[in-house]
Every structure is written in structure tokens, then in C-alpha cells.
Coordinates of all heavy atoms in Angstrom, one line a residue:
K235 N -49.2 188.9 -94.8 CA -49.3 190.2 -94.1 C -49.9 190.0 -92.7 O -49.4 190.7 -91.8 CB -50.2 191.1 -95.0 CG -50.2 192.6 -94.6 CD -51.0 193.4 -95.5 CE -50.9 194.9 -95.2 NZ -51.7 195.8 -96.1
A236 N -50.8 189.2 -92.6 CA -51.5 188.9 -91.3 C -50.5 188.3 -90.3 O -50.7 188.6 -89.1 CB -52.7 188.0 -91.5
E237 N -49.6 187.6 -90.8 CA -48.5 187.0 -89.9 C -47.2 187.8 -89.8 O -46.3 187.4 -89.3 CB -48.2 185.6 -90.3 CG -49.4 184.6 -90.3 CD -49.9 184.3 -88.9 OE1 -49.0 184.2 -88.0 OE2 -51.1 184.2 -88.8
N238 N -47.3 189.1 -90.3 CA -46.1 189.9 -90.3 C -44.9 189.3 -91.0 O -43.8 189.3 -90.5 CB -45.7 190.3 -88.9 CG -44.8 191.6 -88.8 OD1 -44.9 192.4 -89.7 ND2 -44.1 191.7 -87.8
V239 N -45.1 188.6 -92.1 CA -44.1 187.9 -92.9 C -44.1 188.6 -94.3 O -45.2 188.8 -94.9 CB -44.3 186.4 -93.0 CG1 -43.4 185.8 -94.0 CG2 -44.2 185.8 -91.6
F240 N -42.9 188.9 -94.8 CA -42.8 189.4 -96.2 C -43.2 188.4 -97.2 O -42.8 187.2 -97.1 CB -41.4 189.9 -96.5 CG -41.0 191.1 -95.6 CD1 -40.0 190.9 -94.6 CD2 -41.5 192.4 -95.8 CE1 -39.6 192.0 -93.8 CE2 -41.1 193.4 -95.0 CZ -40.2 193.3 -94.0
F241 N -43.9 188.8 -98.3 CA -44.3 187.9 -99.3 C -43.1 187.9 -100.3 O -42.6 188.9 -100.8 CB -45.5 188.4 -100.1 CG -46.0 187.4 -101.1 CD1 -46.7 186.3 -100.9 CD2 -45.6 187.7 -102.5 CE1 -47.1 185.4 -101.9 CE2 -45.9 186.8 -103.5 CZ -46.7 185.7 -103.2
V242 N -42.7 186.7 -100.7 CA -41.5 186.5 -101.6 C -42.0 185.8 -102.8 O -42.4 184.6 -102.8 CB -40.4 185.7 -100.9 CG1 -39.1 185.6 -101.8 CG2 -40.0 186.3 -99.5
P243 N -41.9 186.4 -104.0 CA -42.3 185.8 -105.3 C -41.4 184.6 -105.6 O -40.3 184.5 -105.1 CB -42.1 186.9 -106.3 CG -42.0 188.2 -105.6 CD -41.5 187.8 -104.2
E244 N -41.9 183.7 -106.4 CA -41.3 182.4 -106.6 C -39.8 182.6 -107.1 O -38.9 181.9 -106.5 CB -42.0 181.6 -107.7 CG -41.5 180.2 -107.9 CD -42.4 179.4 -108.8 OE1 -43.4 179.9 -109.3 OE2 -41.9 178.3 -109.1
K245 N -39.5 183.5 -108.0 CA -38.1 183.6 -108.5 C -37.2 184.4 -107.6 O -36.1 184.7 -108.0 CB -38.2 184.2 -109.9 CG -38.7 183.2 -110.9 CD -38.4 183.6 -112.4 CE -39.0 182.5 -113.3 NZ -38.8 182.9 -114.7
A246 N -37.8 184.8 -106.4 CA -36.9 185.6 -105.5 C -36.7 184.7 -104.3 O -36.0 185.1 -103.3 CB -37.7 186.8 -105.0
R247 N -37.2 183.5 -104.2 CA -37.0 182.6 -103.1 C -35.6 182.0 -103.1 O -35.0 181.7 -104.1 CB -38.1 181.5 -103.1 CG -39.5 182.1 -102.9 CD -40.6 181.2 -103.1 NE -41.9 181.9 -103.3 CZ -43.0 181.4 -103.6 NH1 -43.2 180.1 -103.9 NH2 -44.1 182.2 -103.7
W248 N -35.1 181.8 -101.9 CA -33.7 181.4 -101.7 C -33.5 180.1 -102.5 O -32.4 179.9 -103.1 CB -33.4 181.3 -100.2 CG -31.9 181.0 -100.0 CD1 -31.3 179.8 -99.8 CD2 -30.9 182.0 -100.1 NE1 -29.9 180.0 -99.7 CE2 -29.7 181.4 -99.9 CE3 -30.9 183.4 -100.3 CZ2 -28.4 182.0 -99.9 CZ3 -29.7 184.1 -100.3 CH2 -28.5 183.4 -100.1
S249 N -34.4 179.1 -102.3 CA -34.2 177.8 -103.0 C -34.0 178.0 -104.5 O -33.2 177.3 -105.1 CB -35.4 176.9 -102.7 OG -36.6 177.6 -103.0
Y250 N -34.8 178.9 -105.1 CA -34.6 179.1 -106.6 C -33.3 179.7 -106.9 O -32.6 179.3 -107.8 CB -35.7 180.0 -107.0 CG -35.6 180.4 -108.5 CD1 -36.1 179.6 -109.5 CD2 -35.0 181.7 -108.8 CE1 -35.9 180.0 -110.8 CE2 -34.9 182.0 -110.2 CZ -35.4 181.2 -111.2 OH -35.2 181.6 -112.5
L251 N -32.9 180.7 -106.1 CA -31.6 181.4 -106.4 C -30.5 180.5 -106.1 O -29.4 180.5 -106.8 CB -31.5 182.7 -105.5 CG -32.5 183.8 -105.8 CD1 -32.4 184.9 -104.8 CD2 -32.2 184.4 -107.2
Q252 N -30.5 179.7 -105.1 CA -29.4 178.7 -104.8 C -29.2 177.7 -105.9 O -28.1 177.3 -106.2 CB -29.6 178.1 -103.5 CG -28.4 177.4 -102.9 CD -28.4 177.2 -101.4 OE1 -29.5 177.2 -100.8 NE2 -27.2 177.0 -100.7
S253 N -30.4 177.3 -106.5 CA -30.3 176.3 -107.6 C -29.6 176.9 -108.8 O -29.1 176.2 -109.7 CB -31.7 175.8 -108.0 OG -32.4 176.9 -108.6
R254 N -29.5 178.2 -108.9 CA -28.9 178.9 -110.0 C -27.6 179.6 -109.7 O -27.0 180.4 -110.5 CB -29.9 180.0 -110.6 CG -31.2 179.4 -111.1 CD -32.2 180.5 -111.5 NE -31.7 181.3 -112.6 CZ -31.7 181.0 -113.9 NH1 -32.2 179.9 -114.3 NH2 -31.3 181.9 -114.8
A255 N -27.1 179.3 -108.5 CA -25.9 180.0 -108.0 C -24.7 179.8 -108.9 O -23.8 180.7 -108.9 CB -25.5 179.5 -106.6
K256 N -24.6 178.7 -109.7 CA -23.4 178.5 -110.5 C -23.6 179.1 -112.0 O -22.6 178.9 -112.7 CB -23.1 176.9 -110.6 CG -22.8 176.3 -109.3 CD -21.5 176.9 -108.6 CE -21.1 176.1 -107.4 NZ -22.0 176.4 -106.2
L257 N -24.7 179.6 -112.3 CA -24.9 180.2 -113.6 C -24.3 181.6 -113.8 O -24.3 182.4 -112.8 CB -26.4 180.2 -113.9 CG -27.1 178.8 -113.9 CD1 -28.6 179.1 -114.1 CD2 -26.5 177.9 -114.9
P258 N -23.8 181.9 -115.0 CA -23.2 183.3 -115.2 C -24.2 184.4 -114.9 O -23.7 185.5 -114.7 CB -22.7 183.2 -116.6 CG -23.4 182.0 -117.2 CD -23.7 181.1 -116.2
E259 N -25.5 184.2 -115.1 CA -26.4 185.3 -115.0 C -27.0 185.4 -113.6 O -28.0 186.1 -113.3 CB -27.6 185.1 -116.0 CG -28.4 183.9 -115.8 CD -27.9 182.7 -116.7 OE1 -26.7 182.7 -117.0 OE2 -28.7 181.9 -117.0
I260 N -26.3 184.8 -112.6 CA -26.9 184.8 -111.2 C -27.0 186.2 -110.6 O -27.9 186.6 -109.9 CB -26.0 183.9 -110.3 CG1 -26.6 183.9 -108.9 CG2 -24.6 184.4 -110.2 CD1 -28.0 183.4 -108.7
G261 N -26.0 187.1 -111.0 CA -26.1 188.5 -110.5 C -27.4 189.2 -110.9 O -28.1 189.9 -110.2
K262 N -27.8 189.0 -112.2 CA -29.1 189.6 -112.7 C -30.3 189.0 -112.0 O -31.3 189.6 -111.7 CB -29.2 189.3 -114.2 CG -28.3 190.2 -115.0 CD -28.5 190.0 -116.5 CE -27.5 190.8 -117.4 NZ -27.6 190.5 -118.8
D263 N -30.1 187.6 -111.7 CA -31.2 187.0 -111.0 C -31.4 187.6 -109.6 O -32.6 187.8 -109.1 CB -30.9 185.5 -110.8 CG -31.0 184.7 -112.1 OD1 -31.6 185.2 -113.1 OD2 -30.5 183.6 -112.2
V264 N -30.3 187.8 -108.9 CA -30.5 188.4 -107.5 C -31.0 189.8 -107.5 O -31.9 190.2 -106.8 CB -29.1 188.3 -106.8 CG1 -29.3 188.9 -105.4 CG2 -28.6 186.9 -106.7

């Protein structure tokens, strides 16, 4: 907040989602 950056929880981070991009439940993940 002090640096004007949004806080992103672990399972919402791009690296996590990209690692699951080929799974059938990716829509629910996003």
C-alpha cells in the first residue's frame, strides 16, 4: 500500500495461474 502497489494473494499471482493454464479447472482458478 505504501508503494501504491496492489497486494496479490498467492493463488492469484500470474506465475501460479500460468502453471495451471492447461488444467480443465483454470476458469474457476482465474
Side-chain angles (χ1 to χ4, degrees):
K235 192 174 181 181
E237 297 293 322
N238 199 25
V239 171
F240 294 110
F241 183 83
V242 183
E244 189 174 352
K245 290 192 176 179
R247 294 169 196 171
W248 189 263
S249 51
Y250 174 82
L251 294 171
Q252 196 161 17
S253 71
R254 297 175 60 80
K256 300 294 186 285
L257 299 178
E259 61 268 24
I260 182 60
K262 289 181 181 176
D263 288 343
V264 179

